[in-house]
Amino acid sequence: MSTPRRQFLRLAAGTLATGALAGCDRLSESASFTGFLRRAQYLSRWAQDLLTGPDALAQEFTEDDITSDFRSNGTSMPDSALYRELANGGFRDWALAVGGMVRQPLKLSLAQLKTLPSRTQVTRHDCVEGWSAIAKWTGVPLARVLDLAAPLPQARYVVFHCADPMDGSDRTAPQSTYYESLDLREARHAQTILAYGLNDEPLPVANGAPLRLRVERQLGYKHAKYLMRIVLVDRLDGIRGGKGGYWEDLGYEWYAGI
C-alpha cells in the first residue's frame, strides 16, 4: 500500500500531467509543474526524515506482485556508436569508471561487479508521469563500490554519467548525455544499488543495460540508466546546468523523495 506522501505525489503528478503523456520532456515545459517540484523537494525530504528516519526502507513486495512487463521509459536504445558497439559485444568491453574525490580510482567490468556481494529487492518504480510498476532488481549495493573507492573527506555527492545522448545526436561529449546525482547519505542507503539484473534475467537494453541505478526512495527519473562512470564531487553547481541532473537542470526537483 502507498504511503500518504507517495499517494500525494503520484496524484499531483497525474493531475499536472493531465492524462497520458509522451514523456518527461513535456512535463519539463510546464512552469507550474516544475515550480511545484522545486518547492516540494525540501518539504518532502524533511517529512521523510521526520516520519520514517534517514535509513528507513522503501516498501518491498513479493514475487507475486511483480508487474508482468516492466515498461521501458525514455531512452530504450542509446543513439551512440560507442554504446551500440559495447552492446553488440555483450558488454564484455564495458567497464564502470569510478573517480573524482576518491583515494582509489576504479574501473570495474560487469564480471567484476558481479563478484561483489549483491542485493535483490522487489520494489515499485514510480514515474513522475503517474504510472508505476513492480519489479525484482539484483545488483551490487552502491555503498560497496564506494567503500572500494574510498571517498575523500570533502566528497559530498555522487554523480552518475550515462551513455544515452539527450540532444538527438550521436555525440559522445559528456555534456550531451544523461546524468544524475545523489548525496552520500542516499548513495549509501541499503536499497541504493547498481542493478545488473531484472526479474532474474540480465538487465535488458531497453531498461538500462548493462548497469542502472536503483534509488528506491525517489522518483523514476533519479534511476539513471546506461551507467558509464561515477564521479565523486564536493559540489554540483559547476556541473552542466548546476542543478545536479539532466531533468533538474530543466526545472525538476533534485530530491525526488517518495
Side-chain angles (χ1 to χ4, degrees):
M1 179 178 296
S2 298
T3 65
R5 181 160 35 83
R6 184 186 293 256
Q7 290 172 332
F8 167 73
L9 287 173
R10 291 179 64 197
L11 177 61
T15 300
L16 290 167
T18 61
L21 296 170
C24 292
D25 54 344
R26 187 176 302 177
L27 287 179
S28 72
E29 297 170 1
S30 167
S32 61
F33 183 78
T34 56
F36 163 78
L37 289 179
R38 282 193 297 270
R39 292 188 298 271
Q41 66 175 315
Y42 304 108
L43 177 61
S44 176
R45 186 159 203 178
W46 174 81
Q48 187 172 61
D49 286 351
L50 179 65
L51 295 174
T52 63
D55 299 320
L57 300 178
Q59 183 178 1
E60 297 194 16
F61 299 83
T62 71
E63 294 192 19
D64 291 337
D65 299 313
I66 291 174
T67 304
S68 58
D69 182 21
F70 190 91
R71 65 186 286 185
S72 172
N73 198 47
T75 302
S76 59
M77 166 59 85
D79 185 15
S80 159
L82 173 60
Y83 180 84
R84 289 193 295 271
E85 181 180 350
L86 291 170
N88 289 337
F91 298 107
R92 287 185 297 273
D93 295 326
W94 172 92
L96 178 70
V98 183
M101 292 182 171
V102 298
R103 293 187 176 89
Q104 183 60 56
L106 304 172
K107 201 161 188 181
L108 299 168
S109 69
L110 190 58
Q112 288 173 320
L113 286 167
K114 289 181 177 180
T115 67
L116 298 175
S118 66
R119 177 183 173 91
T120 296
Q121 55 202 29
V122 180
T123 52
R124 183 171 58 215
H125 181 97
D126 286 303
C127 181
V128 73
E129 296 173 32
W131 62 269
S132 63
I134 294 173
K136 181 179 182 180
W137 303 96
T138 299
V140 56
L142 178 54
R144 295 278 187 174
V145 175
L146 295 178
D147 287 344
L148 291 176
L152 296 174
Q154 61 267 39
R156 295 180 58 203
Y157 302 99
V158 184
V159 182
F160 306 88
H161 295 278
C162 307
D164 43 334
M166 298 302 292
D167 61 359
S169 71
D170 191 18
R171 299 188 310 175
T172 57
Q175 64 268 22
S176 71
T177 56
Y178 198 87
Y179 85 107
E180 256 303 340
S181 63
L182 300 174
D183 63 20
L184 278 173
R185 188 183 80 177
E186 196 75 15
R188 289 188 172 279
H189 186 269
Q191 290 173 314
T192 300
I193 67 173
L194 303 177
Y196 46 72
L198 172 60
N199 295 336
D200 294 321
E201 298 289 342
L203 185 65
V205 166
N207 299 110
L211 196 71
R212 70 173 292 165
L213 177 66
R214 294 299 306 174
V215 50
E216 304 297 353
R217 305 195 304 173
Q218 299 199 39
L219 289 168
Y221 63 86
K222 299 294 291 188
H223 301 227
K225 300 190 294 185
Y226 312 112
L227 293 180
M228 298 294 286
R229 61 191 179 101
I230 293 174
V231 181
L232 278 80
V233 300
D234 60 346
R235 56 194 301 167
L236 299 173
D237 55 5
I239 302 171
R240 311 279 189 91
K243 301 298 194 302
Y246 175 82
W247 289 111
E248 290 88 330
D249 289 342
L250 295 176
Y252 277 40
E253 62 180 345
W254 177 74
Y255 182 73
I258 49 177

